[in-house]
mmCIF file of all heavy atoms in Angstrom:
data_model
loop_
_atom_site.group_PDB
_atom_site.id
_atom_site.type_symbol
_atom_site.label_atom_id
_atom_site.label_comp_id
_atom_site.label_asym_id
_atom_site.label_seq_id
_atom_site.Cartn_x
_atom_site.Cartn_y
_atom_site.Cartn_z
ATOM 1 N N ASP A 37 -122.158 -92.458 -38.283
ATOM 2 C CA ASP A 37 -122.422 -93.708 -37.542
ATOM 3 C C ASP A 37 -121.828 -93.687 -36.092
ATOM 4 O O ASP A 37 -122.451 -94.100 -35.179
ATOM 5 C CB ASP A 37 -122.044 -94.919 -38.287
ATOM 6 C CG ASP A 37 -122.797 -95.163 -39.578
ATOM 7 O OD1 ASP A 37 -123.852 -94.547 -39.700
ATOM 8 O OD2 ASP A 37 -122.357 -95.862 -40.404
ATOM 9 N N ALA A 38 -120.552 -93.249 -36.047
ATOM 10 C CA ALA A 38 -119.825 -93.231 -34.777
ATOM 11 C C ALA A 38 -120.534 -92.204 -33.737
ATOM 12 O O ALA A 38 -120.598 -92.601 -32.546
ATOM 13 C CB ALA A 38 -118.427 -92.818 -35.041
ATOM 14 N N ILE A 39 -120.935 -91.095 -34.265
ATOM 15 C CA ILE A 39 -121.592 -90.124 -33.352
ATOM 16 C C ILE A 39 -122.883 -90.758 -32.826
ATOM 17 O O ILE A 39 -123.175 -90.559 -31.676
ATOM 18 C CB ILE A 39 -121.812 -88.787 -34.042
ATOM 19 C CG1 ILE A 39 -120.459 -88.106 -34.257
ATOM 20 C CG2 ILE A 39 -122.817 -87.886 -33.341
ATOM 21 C CD1 ILE A 39 -120.584 -86.887 -35.201
ATOM 22 N N GLU A 40 -123.662 -91.352 -33.697
ATOM 23 C CA GLU A 40 -124.958 -91.915 -33.206
ATOM 24 C C GLU A 40 -124.685 -93.091 -32.217
ATOM 25 O O GLU A 40 -125.359 -93.320 -31.229
ATOM 26 C CB GLU A 40 -125.669 -92.551 -34.425
ATOM 27 C CG GLU A 40 -126.959 -91.722 -34.688
ATOM 28 C CD GLU A 40 -127.756 -92.155 -35.952
ATOM 29 O OE1 GLU A 40 -127.423 -93.180 -36.523
ATOM 30 O OE2 GLU A 40 -128.611 -91.342 -36.205
ATOM 31 N N ALA A 41 -123.608 -93.870 -32.466
ATOM 32 C CA ALA A 41 -123.326 -95.031 -31.590
ATOM 33 C C ALA A 41 -122.851 -94.504 -30.189
ATOM 34 O O ALA A 41 -122.996 -95.192 -29.298
ATOM 35 C CB ALA A 41 -122.176 -95.821 -32.163
ATOM 36 N N GLN A 42 -122.276 -93.338 -30.188
ATOM 37 C CA GLN A 42 -121.792 -92.752 -28.894
ATOM 38 C C GLN A 42 -122.752 -91.697 -28.301
ATOM 39 O O GLN A 42 -122.323 -90.874 -27.486
ATOM 40 C CB GLN A 42 -120.448 -92.070 -29.125
ATOM 41 C CG GLN A 42 -119.264 -93.005 -29.522
ATOM 42 C CD GLN A 42 -119.135 -94.090 -28.333
ATOM 43 O OE1 GLN A 42 -119.028 -93.749 -27.180
ATOM 44 N NE2 GLN A 42 -118.991 -95.383 -28.712
ATOM 45 N N THR A 43 -124.013 -91.787 -28.695
ATOM 46 C CA THR A 43 -125.036 -90.884 -28.228
ATOM 47 C C THR A 43 -125.031 -90.686 -26.717
ATOM 48 O O THR A 43 -124.997 -89.589 -26.149
ATOM 49 C CB THR A 43 -126.427 -91.244 -28.683
ATOM 50 O OG1 THR A 43 -126.456 -91.169 -30.064
ATOM 51 C CG2 THR A 43 -127.481 -90.281 -28.146
ATOM 52 N N ASP A 44 -124.993 -91.756 -25.993
ATOM 53 C CA ASP A 44 -125.054 -91.810 -24.482
ATOM 54 C C ASP A 44 -123.824 -91.029 -23.883
ATOM 55 O O ASP A 44 -124.036 -90.201 -23.051
ATOM 56 C CB ASP A 44 -125.232 -93.214 -23.939
ATOM 57 C CG ASP A 44 -126.536 -93.885 -24.259
ATOM 58 O OD1 ASP A 44 -127.486 -93.062 -24.594
ATOM 59 O OD2 ASP A 44 -126.682 -94.997 -24.169
ATOM 60 N N SER A 45 -122.620 -91.439 -24.391
ATOM 61 C CA SER A 45 -121.439 -90.754 -23.812
ATOM 62 C C SER A 45 -121.392 -89.176 -24.192
ATOM 63 O O SER A 45 -120.945 -88.460 -23.414
ATOM 64 C CB SER A 45 -120.177 -91.481 -24.338
ATOM 65 O OG SER A 45 -120.088 -91.380 -25.744
ATOM 66 N N ILE A 46 -121.855 -88.908 -25.376
ATOM 67 C CA ILE A 46 -121.847 -87.527 -25.842
ATOM 68 C C ILE A 46 -122.800 -86.726 -24.995
ATOM 69 O O ILE A 46 -122.460 -85.547 -24.434
ATOM 70 C CB ILE A 46 -122.229 -87.366 -27.253
ATOM 71 C CG1 ILE A 46 -121.178 -87.905 -28.209
ATOM 72 C CG2 ILE A 46 -122.567 -85.889 -27.656
ATOM 73 C CD1 ILE A 46 -121.575 -88.131 -29.670
ATOM 74 N N ILE A 47 -123.965 -87.343 -24.678
ATOM 75 C CA ILE A 47 -125.071 -86.619 -23.838
ATOM 76 C C ILE A 47 -124.432 -86.431 -22.390
ATOM 77 O O ILE A 47 -124.722 -85.470 -21.656
ATOM 78 C CB ILE A 47 -126.291 -87.334 -23.903
ATOM 79 C CG1 ILE A 47 -126.960 -87.082 -25.308
ATOM 80 C CG2 ILE A 47 -127.274 -86.832 -22.800
ATOM 81 C CD1 ILE A 47 -128.240 -87.825 -25.480
ATOM 82 N N LYS A 48 -123.711 -87.452 -21.898
ATOM 83 C CA LYS A 48 -123.217 -87.427 -20.608
ATOM 84 C C LYS A 48 -122.223 -86.331 -20.454
ATOM 85 O O LYS A 48 -122.197 -85.526 -19.370
ATOM 86 C CB LYS A 48 -122.500 -88.778 -20.294
ATOM 87 C CG LYS A 48 -121.885 -88.872 -18.870
ATOM 88 C CD LYS A 48 -121.250 -90.252 -18.655
ATOM 89 C CE LYS A 48 -120.644 -90.322 -17.293
ATOM 90 N NZ LYS A 48 -119.956 -91.622 -17.004
ATOM 91 N N GLU A 49 -121.347 -86.089 -21.477
ATOM 92 C CA GLU A 49 -120.342 -84.975 -21.526
ATOM 93 C C GLU A 49 -121.067 -83.589 -21.626
ATOM 94 O O GLU A 49 -120.767 -82.669 -20.914
ATOM 95 C CB GLU A 49 -119.325 -85.216 -22.668
ATOM 96 C CG GLU A 49 -118.370 -86.274 -22.457
ATOM 97 C CD GLU A 49 -117.581 -86.170 -21.108
ATOM 98 O OE1 GLU A 49 -116.930 -85.227 -20.969
ATOM 99 O OE2 GLU A 49 -117.796 -87.107 -20.293
ATOM 100 N N ASN A 50 -122.109 -83.696 -22.368
ATOM 101 C CA ASN A 50 -122.911 -82.435 -22.630
ATOM 102 C C ASN A 50 -123.573 -82.006 -21.329
ATOM 103 O O ASN A 50 -123.723 -80.786 -21.067
ATOM 104 C CB ASN A 50 -123.969 -82.595 -23.637
ATOM 105 C CG ASN A 50 -124.906 -81.450 -23.888
ATOM 106 O OD1 ASN A 50 -126.142 -81.490 -23.515
ATOM 107 N ND2 ASN A 50 -124.408 -80.373 -24.406
ATOM 108 N N ALA A 51 -124.010 -82.969 -20.460
ATOM 109 C CA ALA A 51 -124.538 -82.643 -19.114
ATOM 110 C C ALA A 51 -123.662 -81.846 -18.245
ATOM 111 O O ALA A 51 -124.025 -80.979 -17.554
ATOM 112 C CB ALA A 51 -125.056 -83.951 -18.450
ATOM 113 N N LYS A 52 -122.320 -82.052 -18.444
ATOM 114 C CA LYS A 52 -121.321 -81.392 -17.608
ATOM 115 C C LYS A 52 -121.390 -79.903 -18.091
ATOM 116 O O LYS A 52 -121.257 -78.953 -17.205
ATOM 117 C CB LYS A 52 -119.918 -81.942 -17.845
ATOM 118 C CG LYS A 52 -119.719 -83.335 -17.367
ATOM 119 C CD LYS A 52 -118.337 -83.832 -17.753
ATOM 120 C CE LYS A 52 -118.169 -85.319 -17.267
ATOM 121 N NZ LYS A 52 -116.845 -85.792 -17.602
ATOM 122 N N ASP A 53 -121.485 -79.602 -19.410
ATOM 123 C CA ASP A 53 -121.563 -78.347 -19.918
ATOM 124 C C ASP A 53 -122.837 -77.559 -19.463
ATOM 125 O O ASP A 53 -122.776 -76.357 -19.103
ATOM 126 C CB ASP A 53 -121.526 -78.275 -21.439
ATOM 127 C CG ASP A 53 -120.065 -78.776 -21.974
ATOM 128 O OD1 ASP A 53 -119.177 -78.427 -21.360
ATOM 129 O OD2 ASP A 53 -120.070 -79.372 -23.088
ATOM 130 N N ILE A 54 -123.908 -78.270 -19.532
ATOM 131 C CA ILE A 54 -125.263 -77.709 -19.003
ATOM 132 C C ILE A 54 -125.081 -77.300 -17.508
ATOM 133 O O ILE A 54 -125.506 -76.274 -17.174
ATOM 134 C CB ILE A 54 -126.367 -78.682 -19.326
ATOM 135 C CG1 ILE A 54 -126.589 -78.976 -20.833
ATOM 136 C CG2 ILE A 54 -127.656 -78.250 -18.672
ATOM 137 C CD1 ILE A 54 -127.016 -77.750 -21.560
ATOM 138 N N THR A 55 -124.595 -78.181 -16.759
ATOM 139 C CA THR A 55 -124.475 -77.964 -15.309
ATOM 140 C C THR A 55 -123.614 -76.688 -15.058
ATOM 141 O O THR A 55 -123.924 -75.735 -14.308
ATOM 142 C CB THR A 55 -123.875 -79.229 -14.543
ATOM 143 O OG1 THR A 55 -124.750 -80.246 -14.711
ATOM 144 C CG2 THR A 55 -123.672 -78.910 -13.050
ATOM 145 N N ALA A 56 -122.447 -76.587 -15.783
ATOM 146 C CA ALA A 56 -121.622 -75.550 -15.626
ATOM 147 C C ALA A 56 -122.216 -74.352 -16.134
ATOM 148 O O ALA A 56 -122.020 -73.228 -15.505
ATOM 149 C CB ALA A 56 -120.223 -75.817 -16.391
ATOM 150 N N GLY A 57 -122.933 -74.376 -17.229
ATOM 151 C CA GLY A 57 -123.652 -73.134 -17.729
ATOM 152 C C GLY A 57 -124.763 -72.705 -16.840
ATOM 153 O O GLY A 57 -124.986 -71.419 -16.679
ATOM 154 N N GLU A 58 -125.494 -73.574 -16.136
ATOM 155 C CA GLU A 58 -126.470 -73.117 -15.129
ATOM 156 C C GLU A 58 -125.912 -72.411 -13.995
ATOM 157 O O GLU A 58 -126.340 -71.387 -13.545
ATOM 158 C CB GLU A 58 -127.288 -74.313 -14.656
ATOM 159 C CG GLU A 58 -128.210 -74.939 -15.731
ATOM 160 C CD GLU A 58 -128.784 -76.241 -15.347
ATOM 161 O OE1 GLU A 58 -128.308 -76.924 -14.439
ATOM 162 O OE2 GLU A 58 -129.856 -76.610 -16.022
ATOM 163 N N LYS A 59 -124.631 -72.947 -13.611
ATOM 164 C CA LYS A 59 -123.972 -72.250 -12.500
ATOM 165 C C LYS A 59 -123.442 -70.921 -12.871
ATOM 166 O O LYS A 59 -123.418 -69.929 -12.067
ATOM 167 C CB LYS A 59 -122.723 -73.147 -12.030
ATOM 168 C CG LYS A 59 -123.240 -74.439 -11.254
ATOM 169 C CD LYS A 59 -121.935 -75.222 -10.882
ATOM 170 C CE LYS A 59 -122.398 -76.516 -10.207
ATOM 171 N NZ LYS A 59 -121.222 -77.325 -9.755
ATOM 172 N N LYS A 60 -123.025 -70.687 -14.186
ATOM 173 C CA LYS A 60 -122.576 -69.460 -14.704
ATOM 174 C C LYS A 60 -123.794 -68.442 -14.934
ATOM 175 O O LYS A 60 -123.485 -67.283 -15.162
ATOM 176 C CB LYS A 60 -121.824 -69.610 -16.022
ATOM 177 C CG LYS A 60 -120.446 -70.296 -15.892
ATOM 178 C CD LYS A 60 -119.866 -70.459 -17.260
ATOM 179 C CE LYS A 60 -118.546 -71.174 -17.224
ATOM 180 N NZ LYS A 60 -117.994 -71.299 -18.617
ATOM 181 N N GLY A 61 -124.992 -69.014 -14.869
ATOM 182 C CA GLY A 61 -126.083 -68.123 -15.163
ATOM 183 C C GLY A 61 -126.383 -67.836 -16.582
ATOM 184 O O GLY A 61 -126.896 -66.833 -16.982
ATOM 185 N N LEU A 62 -126.035 -68.831 -17.481
ATOM 186 C CA LEU A 62 -126.323 -68.619 -18.933
ATOM 187 C C LEU A 62 -127.872 -68.500 -19.092
ATOM 188 O O LEU A 62 -128.614 -69.105 -18.394
ATOM 189 C CB LEU A 62 -125.732 -69.837 -19.705
ATOM 190 C CG LEU A 62 -124.266 -70.054 -19.812
ATOM 191 C CD1 LEU A 62 -123.993 -71.300 -20.626
ATOM 192 C CD2 LEU A 62 -123.648 -68.814 -20.316
ATOM 193 N N SER A 63 -128.221 -67.735 -20.117
ATOM 194 C CA SER A 63 -129.648 -67.534 -20.310
ATOM 195 C C SER A 63 -130.296 -68.786 -20.831
ATOM 196 O O SER A 63 -129.636 -69.720 -21.281
ATOM 197 C CB SER A 63 -129.821 -66.487 -21.469
ATOM 198 O OG SER A 63 -129.326 -67.012 -22.721
ATOM 199 N N ALA A 64 -131.617 -68.832 -20.764
ATOM 200 C CA ALA A 64 -132.392 -70.042 -21.144
ATOM 201 C C ALA A 64 -132.137 -70.302 -22.666
ATOM 202 O O ALA A 64 -132.065 -71.469 -23.011
ATOM 203 C CB ALA A 64 -133.859 -69.775 -20.886
ATOM 204 N N ALA A 65 -131.994 -69.192 -23.472
ATOM 205 C CA ALA A 65 -131.818 -69.371 -24.892
ATOM 206 C C ALA A 65 -130.469 -70.013 -25.104
ATOM 207 O O ALA A 65 -130.313 -70.882 -25.952
ATOM 208 C CB ALA A 65 -131.928 -68.046 -25.603
#
Side-chain angles (χ1 to χ4, degrees):
D37 293 343
I39 289 171
E40 246 173 14
Q42 293 298 315
T43 295
D44 291 343
S45 62
I46 291 169
I47 290 176
K48 183 178 178 181
E49 292 302 300
N50 177 250
K52 296 178 183 178
D53 292 328
I54 294 294
T55 299
E58 290 171 343
K59 288 180 179 177
K60 288 180 185 176
L62 294 183
S63 67

